[in-house]
C-alpha cells in the first residue's frame, strides 16, 4: 500500500543544510545562520557546540533547539560586516580556542550569511595549520559574494598576533593531535599549562588586592561617618562614669550601641 505524506511531512523528511554549509575539518562545520528547516541536518551532526557571530542574541527557536539537543550555544556579539572589519583579534582568539578544544567538538560556526566573519575565523584556523596565504585566500573567496577578499581582510589575517591557551586535548588535524608550546609562526604564541596557571594566580592576586583596597576604603568611610556618634557616645558614657567600658568594647559593638541610641 502506497503511503501518502503531507507536505509538512515531506519537508520534515528532507535534510536541508544551512546556507553555505561546509565541512572545515572533522568535527568542525561552518555556514550561515541556521533556521527551522536546517535543524534536522544539525541534529544529525550530533553537535556539542554552536558558535554564533551575530549582532543580536540568537532567536528563541535556535536557543530552544540547542537546549533540547544539549548543545552549548555561545553567542559573540559581532556587527554585520560592512566596508569595515567588525570582528576583533581578541574575539577571533576566543573562537579559535573553542574550535581547537576536542571537548567542544563537533562544532558549528556561523555568522548571518556564512561569508566574511565566519571566513576570517576559518582563515585564522588555517594559519594555525600552516596553510600559506594563497591557500587561505582561495578558501575564503569560495564563500564570499563576489569571490574576492578586501585588502583590510587580507591585512587582518597577515597581521593577526595571538597568545592562545592551548587546551589539554586537541584534534588530530591540528599538529597531529600533539600539544606544542612553540609555533612555527613567531607571531603566534601558545600558553603552556604552567603559564596559564601563573596567569590565573596573578588574576587571583589582583582580585584580592582590589578587594582589600575596597574594604579599607569602606572602613575609612565608616570611621569618618561614625566618628561624631562615637564621640557623643563616649561623652554619655563618661557622664555615667563608664568611660573605661569603651576600651573593652570592640568597635563594631560600639557602633551597635550608637545605632541603638
Amino acid at each position: 500500500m502506497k503511503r501518502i505524506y503531507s507536505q509538512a511531512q515531506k519537508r520534515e523528511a528532507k535534510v536541508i543544510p544551512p546556507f553555505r554549509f561546509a565541512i572545515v575539518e572533522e568535527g568542525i562545520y561552518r555556514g550561515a545562520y541556521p533556521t527551522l528547516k536546517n535543524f534536522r541536518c544539525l541534529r544529525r551532526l550530533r553537535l556539542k557546540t554552536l558558535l554564533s557571530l551575530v549582532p543580536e542574541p540568537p532567536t528563541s527557536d535556535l536557543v530552544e533547539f540547542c537546549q533540547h539537543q544539549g548543545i552549548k550555544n555561545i553567542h559573540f556579539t559581532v556587527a554585520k560586516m560592512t566596508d569595515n572589519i567588525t570582528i576583533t583579534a581578541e574575539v577571533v582568539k576566543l573562537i579559535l580556542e573553542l574550535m581547537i578544544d576536542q571537548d567542544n567538538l563537533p562544532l558549528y560556526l556561523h555568522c548571518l550569511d556564512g561569508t566574511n566573519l565566519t571566513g576570517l575565523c576559518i582563515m585564522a584556523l588555517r594559519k594555525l595549520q600552516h596553510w600559506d596565504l594563497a591557500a587561505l585566500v582561495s578558501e575564503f573567496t569560495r564563500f564570499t559574494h563576489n569571490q574576492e577578499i578586501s585588502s583590510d581582510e587580507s591585512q587582518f589575517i597577515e597581521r593577526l598576533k595571538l597568545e592562545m591557551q592551548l587546551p589539554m586535548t586537541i584534534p588530530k588535524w591540528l599538529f597531529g593531535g600533539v600539544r606544542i608550546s612553540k609555533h612555527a609562526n613567531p607571531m603566534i604564541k601558545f600558553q603552556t599549562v604552567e603559564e596559564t596557571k601563573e596567569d590565573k594566580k596573578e588574576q587571583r592576586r589582583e582580585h584580592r588586592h582590589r578587594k582589600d583596597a575596597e574594604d579599607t576604603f569602606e572602613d575609612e568611610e565608616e570611621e569618618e561617618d561614625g566618628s561624631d556618634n562615637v564621640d557623643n557616645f563616649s561623652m554619655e558614657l563618661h557622664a555615667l562614669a563608664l568611660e573605661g567600658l569603651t576600651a573593652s568594647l570592640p568597635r563594631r559593638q560600639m557602633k551597635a550601641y550608637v545605632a541603638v541610641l
Side-chain angles (χ1 to χ4, degrees), residues 80-86 150 152-153:
K80 184 178 180 180
M81 282 283 289
T82 54
D83 293 335
N84 300 318
I85 294 176
T86 56
S150 70
D152 287 343
E153 290 166 334

Side-chain angles (χ1 to χ4, degrees), residues 162-223:
L162 302 174
E163 291 192 8
M164 298 174 57
Q165 179 181 339
L166 193 65
M168 295 304 297
T169 55
I170 60 176
K172 290 185 178 180
W173 44 258
L174 182 66
F175 315 141
V178 179
R179 297 180 82 254
I180 62 173
S181 57
K182 274 191 175 181
H183 194 276
N185 186 336
M187 297 185 68
I188 298 175
K189 176 188 173 185
F190 284 118
Q191 289 181 318
T192 63
V193 175
E194 290 73 20
E195 288 175 327
T196 302
K197 288 180 179 177
E198 284 300 317
D199 286 348
K200 290 182 178 179
K201 287 181 181 178
E202 182 62 28
Q203 290 173 3
R204 286 195 292 268
R205 283 194 291 266
E206 291 179 359
H207 176 73
R208 284 197 297 269
H209 179 72
R210 288 195 299 268
K211 187 70 169 61
D212 291 342
E214 291 172 358
D215 291 344
T216 301
F217 179 73
E218 290 176 359
D219 288 343
E220 290 175 353
E221 282 192 328
E222 288 179 0
E223 288 179 5

Side-chain angles (χ1 to χ4, degrees), residues 33-244:
Y33 196 104
T35 58
L36 287 169
K37 64 184 179 181
N38 307 134
F39 289 173
R40 184 179 177 87
C41 174
L42 295 184
R43 274 198 299 270
R44 294 196 173 189
L45 299 178
R46 302 183 183 278
L47 298 175
K48 287 185 180 179
T49 311
L50 190 146
L51 303 182
S52 302
L53 312 180
V54 291
E56 302 294 335
T59 54
S60 58
D61 56 354
L62 182 57
V63 172
E64 291 172 4
F65 169 77
C66 290
Q67 291 174 345
H68 186 264
Q69 298 296 318
I71 300 171
K72 179 169 55 177
N73 181 208
I74 303 175
H75 172 225
F76 293 92
T77 303
V78 182
K80 184 178 180 180
M81 282 283 289
T82 54
D83 293 335
N84 300 318
I85 294 176
T86 56
I87 194 169
T88 64
E90 179 63 23
V91 171
V92 171
K93 183 196 84 164
L94 294 174
I95 292 168
L96 286 183
E97 288 178 345
L98 291 167
M99 286 198 295
I100 65 175
D101 190 338
Q102 184 66 45
D103 292 339
N104 293 326
L105 308 185
L107 176 150
Y108 179 70
L109 171 69
H110 75 90
C111 53
L112 289 175
D113 56 7
T115 55
N116 301 70
L117 289 175
T118 299
L120 286 172
C121 294
I122 299 303
M123 286 180 79
L125 177 63
R126 297 310 192 191
K127 189 172 182 179
L128 291 184
Q129 295 177 291
H130 307 296
W131 283 31
D132 60 37
L133 185 60
L136 295 176
V137 172
S138 176
E139 183 182 41
F140 179 86
T141 55
R142 278 171 45 206
F143 297 92
T144 56
H145 300 286
N146 51 9
Q147 283 71 55
E148 294 178 357
I149 183 172
S150 70
S151 59
D152 287 343
E153 290 166 334
S154 181
Q155 290 175 7
F156 179 84
I157 289 299
E158 288 182 42
R159 298 173 181 175
L160 188 63
K161 184 176 180 180
L162 302 174
E163 291 192 8
M164 298 174 57
Q165 179 181 339
L166 193 65
M168 295 304 297
T169 55
I170 60 176
K172 290 185 178 180
W173 44 258
L174 182 66
F175 315 141
V178 179
R179 297 180 82 254
I180 62 173
S181 57
K182 274 191 175 181
H183 194 276
N185 186 336
M187 297 185 68
I188 298 175
K189 176 188 173 185
F190 284 118
Q191 289 181 318
T192 63
V193 175
E194 290 73 20
E195 288 175 327
T196 302
K197 288 180 179 177
E198 284 300 317
D199 286 348
K200 290 182 178 179
K201 287 181 181 178
E202 182 62 28
Q203 290 173 3
R204 286 195 292 268
R205 283 194 291 266
E206 291 179 359
H207 176 73
R208 284 197 297 269
H209 179 72
R210 288 195 299 268
K211 187 70 169 61
D212 291 342
E214 291 172 358
D215 291 344
T216 301
F217 179 73
E218 290 176 359
D219 288 343
E220 290 175 353
E221 282 192 328
E222 288 179 0
E223 288 179 5
E224 291 177 1
D225 293 341
S227 59
D228 294 339
N229 290 335
V230 172
D231 291 341
N232 293 336
F233 181 53
S234 297
M235 292 175 64
E236 292 181 15
L237 290 180
H238 181 71
L240 295 172
L242 294 174
E243 181 155 13

